[in-house]
Amino acid sequence: MGQVPSCSSSSSSSCRSLSAVATVDGHAREASAADRFDLTLGLPDECLASVFALLGSDDRGSCSLVCRRWHLVDARSRQRLALVARSEIAPSLPPLLRRFGSVSVLSLKCSRKLVSIGDEALARVAASLPSLKRLKLKGCVDVSDDGLRAFSLRRPPALEKVSLAACGFGARGIVSLLCNCPSLRDLTLKRLRKLDAQSTPVSIDAYYDRDDDDAANDANASKKKKKRVDFQLERLCIKDLHNARLFIPLLCSSKPLKSLVVCRSSGNWDRVLESLRLRREGATSISEIQMENVQMGDPGLTAIAGSCPDLDTMYLSRVTDCSDEGLSAIAGSCKKLRKLHIDAWTRFGGRTIGEEGIAALAAKCSRLQELVLMGIPIRAPSLGLLASNCPCLERVALCNTDSVGDQEMEAIAAKFGAMKKLCIKNCPITARGIEAVVAGCAGLVKLKVKRCRGIGQESVSHLRGRRGGLVISVDAGSLVFDGAEGGDAGTENEGGGGGDGEGRRRSGRRRDNAAGDGGGGPTGARTSATHVICSSRSALLLRSKFGSRNASRS
């Protein structure tokens, strides 16, 4: 990446003709026969740049080799640039960045097994890209704290988001980045082994804004006056880091922090969140918390409830020891909660969240709009409380629980009037429950059923003409449509985790209209009635084989 690819063989003749027109300066009239092939000569540069924006990376690189004008327009209009940050690219990096001076999103990636760019090359990035807004460094193990500090001392004025993954710097480089980049709002830290090994807290309470000469002279540096730095970090994402206590000073000093994401990071996060509540004066401004596969229990939830009264979104996935007591504390203090995702899986079979916590949530969080419950035993009475006390509840996902059956589906159909999207995954429901939901929820837009053994071909076929405009996504494991029904069914390939996918809005992979498979699967003809989507890969494979056999026989 970073090098512009050559033109493809299929378009080589047109590229030569177009370049012959553009490279002859002052002789455009002499090439009038070739002018007829270049329809872009009458377009302004802005329109040509809009056309380039619709192309992929390879096609856009090929277009930049057509003529000087296209080369210049591509350089001036390119907003994203991804480079393989090996050490060999360091000499050509300055002219490359000068060519794409308007780039606002830069990605530098390298394998940890190879030698990456060093400190000097990273320092040139900030000087060459004044419009840089987002920077991603991955696998740049040869970039040290000094290189990150040299980059930050350039004070990039527009830098808003930085992602650092598997790099070779620690706390000192991160602190310098926070203190010298006033517009930084989003910071992601992932697999920083040096940060874990050093055990140095990420603290900016006393930061010396020194130049290199002062840093070399400890006597002069000790006489410098301490400078209090107030940074404006709004989102902090921590992944695959194994020393939770290092981030206590950072969380306590970041006043405008609104979103905290912690994923696969070991350490006692109960103590971290309790320290956040004790050290901060008054309530925090945090409105979103995501905790996935971390060591946290009821003390952490209680600390969140005490320090985050404006909490809007909360994700709890595979936390170790959360129970009804912690969820009740969240419900009692966080009255503005709108989105709640809970995966109650526990590795050691400890306490988990049950109907008592859901009842407390229903009684006190009336603004709830989205609820995803995975592995939580919930029954019809609790669903009735949610329906009566949460009138804005529009999106619900119930997954991996034996307590959700046809009776619970009938309760949803009778009481959830505002329901728009419903996902049921790995629950013992039958056709009776699905028919009740389709008939009772008048505002339902999409119904997704995954891994429910009680749903068969007959029930899906019966629902086809029941509701116009309703999208039903079915994954029944061994469900295979016969030849008479293949023309009305489509395919939808969605990843695992039905409830989590419904909550996190994986809109890029969803198809509301029936779509053909293109590989021997159902044809996917559009109908005006209900769209029935089967996303079972085994069903598609069987239908592909049987379809090919039938075609060969005929």
Side-chain angles (χ1 to χ4, degrees):
M1 302 177 70
Q3 291 77 17
V4 179
S6 59
C7 294
S8 60
S9 59
S10 62
S11 59
S12 59
S13 59
S14 61
C15 290
R16 285 194 296 270
S17 63
L18 291 175
S19 60
V21 177
T23 53
V24 181
D25 297 334
H27 300 283
R29 297 297 181 184
E30 298 178 5
S32 59
D35 286 349
R36 291 194 295 268
F37 297 96
D38 189 358
L39 301 179
T40 65
L41 293 178
L43 288 178
D45 291 347
E46 293 78 5
C47 295
L48 186 59
S50 300
V51 175
F52 286 164
L54 302 177
L55 301 178
S57 178
D58 294 341
D59 293 336
R60 183 162 184 166
S62 300
C63 290
S64 67
L65 298 177
V66 169
C67 61
R68 292 181 180 177
R69 183 197 176 205
W70 287 23
H71 187 275
L72 183 61
V73 171
D74 171 65
R76 290 179 177 177
S77 61
R78 190 178 290 245
Q79 299 294 323
R80 296 175 178 268
L81 187 62
L83 302 176
V84 178
R86 298 176 60 176
S87 58
E88 292 82 356
I89 202 178
S92 58
L93 189 60
L96 185 63
L97 295 179
R98 284 196 299 268
R99 174 190 170 189
F100 300 104
S102 60
V103 166
S104 60
V105 180
L106 177 64
S107 178
L108 300 174
K109 300 180 181 180
C110 184
S111 174
R112 294 182 60 89
K113 300 179 181 179
L114 303 175
V115 181
S116 68
I117 60 174
D119 298 341
E120 184 178 356
L122 182 61
R124 294 175 181 175
V125 171
S128 304
L129 299 178
S131 302
L132 186 63
K133 293 183 179 180
R134 298 183 180 182
L135 174 65
K136 181 176 183 179
L137 299 180
K138 182 179 181 181
C140 299
V141 294
D142 294 292
V143 177
S144 64
D145 291 326
D146 295 332
L148 196 59
R149 182 174 181 271
F151 171 84
S152 65
L153 287 177
R154 297 282 185 176
R155 301 184 185 276
L159 188 63
E160 298 177 354
K161 183 177 181 179
V162 175
S163 177
L164 308 174
C167 295
F169 40 76
R172 188 165 63 91
I174 297 173
V175 169
S176 63
L177 186 70
L178 291 170
C179 296
N180 293 316
C181 299
S183 59
L184 185 61
R185 298 293 183 270
D186 192 327
L187 178 62
T188 299
L189 306 176
K190 184 177 181 180
R191 292 197 305 271
L192 300 180
R193 298 181 179 178
K194 187 176 181 180
L195 179 63
D196 285 332
Q198 288 180 345
S199 298
T200 303
V202 184
S203 175
I204 63 170
D205 287 340
Y207 175 74
Y208 293 99
D209 191 8
R210 305 172 295 178
D211 54 21
D212 294 336
D213 295 334
D214 290 337
N217 190 347
D218 293 338
N220 293 337
S222 62
K223 296 179 182 180
K224 285 281 185 179
K225 185 179 180 181
K226 292 182 179 180
K227 180 181 179 181
R228 180 76 179 186
V229 180
D230 293 328
F231 60 96
Q232 302 298 318
L233 191 65
E234 296 181 356
R235 182 180 183 272
L236 177 62
C237 180
I238 303 170
K239 294 184 178 181
D240 299 309
L241 293 174
H242 307 293
N243 202 339
R245 63 180 180 84
L246 301 180
F247 301 98
I248 294 178
L250 179 61
L251 293 175
C252 295
S253 57
S254 179
K255 295 182 179 180
L257 188 65
K258 296 181 180 179
S259 178
L260 175 63
V261 180
V262 183
C263 182
R264 300 182 303 274
S265 297
S266 59
N268 193 337
W269 281 93
D270 286 336
R271 296 182 180 178
V272 175
L273 296 172
E274 288 176 347
S275 300
L276 176 64
R277 182 184 62 176
L278 295 176
R279 295 189 183 185
R280 291 290 296 266
E281 297 179 359
T284 64
S285 58
I286 295 179
S287 60
E288 179 181 359
I289 291 182
Q290 300 184 26
M291 309 296 289
E292 179 179 352
N293 202 358
V294 298
Q295 180 184 351
M296 189 187 76
D298 290 339
L301 292 180
T302 304
I304 292 175
S307 58
C308 306
D310 296 331
L311 191 64
D312 177 85
T313 303
M314 186 172 186
Y315 293 81
L316 297 177
S317 178
R318 300 191 175 189
V319 292
T320 55
D321 197 19
C322 294
S323 66
D324 291 331
E325 181 180 353
L327 187 59
S328 299
I330 292 291
S333 300
C334 305
K335 303 295 182 61
K336 300 180 181 180
L337 192 65
R338 293 190 309 111
K339 299 180 182 180
L340 179 62
H341 292 214
I342 303 177
D343 184 354
W345 177 90
T346 176
R347 182 180 305 172
F348 306 105
R351 297 184 302 167
T352 185
I353 296 174
E355 287 195 283
E356 182 180 348
I358 301 301
L361 187 74
K364 299 180 180 180
C365 297
S366 59
R367 300 185 182 182
L368 202 63
Q369 295 180 2
E370 182 174 312
L371 181 63
V372 177
L373 303 178
M374 304 179 68
I376 295 179
I378 184 171
R379 298 189 181 277
S382 299
L383 291 173
L385 289 176
L386 286 171
S388 59
N389 297 333
C390 304
C392 301
L393 192 59
E394 298 177 351
R395 298 176 295 276
V396 176
L398 305 175
C399 311
N400 304 332
T401 177
D402 295 333
S403 63
V404 176
D406 291 339
Q407 184 178 0
E408 282 69 28
M409 294 294 98
E410 293 172 355
I412 291 176
K415 298 180 180 180
F416 283 81
M419 179 76 66
K420 292 183 179 180
K421 293 184 179 180
L422 176 63
C423 174
I424 306 297
K425 177 182 176 183
N426 197 15
C427 296
I429 62 174
T430 63
R432 181 168 63 93
I434 295 298
E435 291 178 358
V437 170
V438 172
C441 297
L444 193 64
V445 175
K446 183 172 183 180
L447 173 63
K448 182 158 63 174
V449 182
K450 296 175 67 71
R451 302 178 187 177
C452 296
R453 299 290 182 178
I455 305 301
Q457 179 180 359
E458 296 79 5
S459 60
V460 175
S461 302
H462 181 67
L463 294 174
R464 179 175 303 173
R466 200 75 175 273
R467 286 268 300 272
L470 175 61
V471 177
I472 304 178
S473 174
V474 180
D475 182 358
S478 60
L479 179 62
V480 182
F481 288 101
D482 55 17
E485 296 170 353
D488 295 330
T491 63
E492 178 174 343
N493 296 326
E494 298 189 16
D500 186 68
E502 185 73 22
R504 294 179 186 271
R505 299 196 191 102
R506 295 178 183 174
S507 58
R509 284 186 280 178
R510 294 182 180 177
R511 296 173 177 87
D512 289 341
N513 294 328
D517 181 53
T523 57
R526 295 184 62 181
T527 62
S528 59
T530 302
H531 301 295
V532 181
I533 301 172
C534 175
S535 59
S536 173
R537 296 183 180 179
S538 59
L540 298 179
L541 179 61
L542 291 174
R543 175 167 177 81
S544 175
K545 291 183 178 180
F546 289 128
S548 61
R549 290 181 182 179
N550 295 332
S552 61
R553 290 177 181 176
S554 60

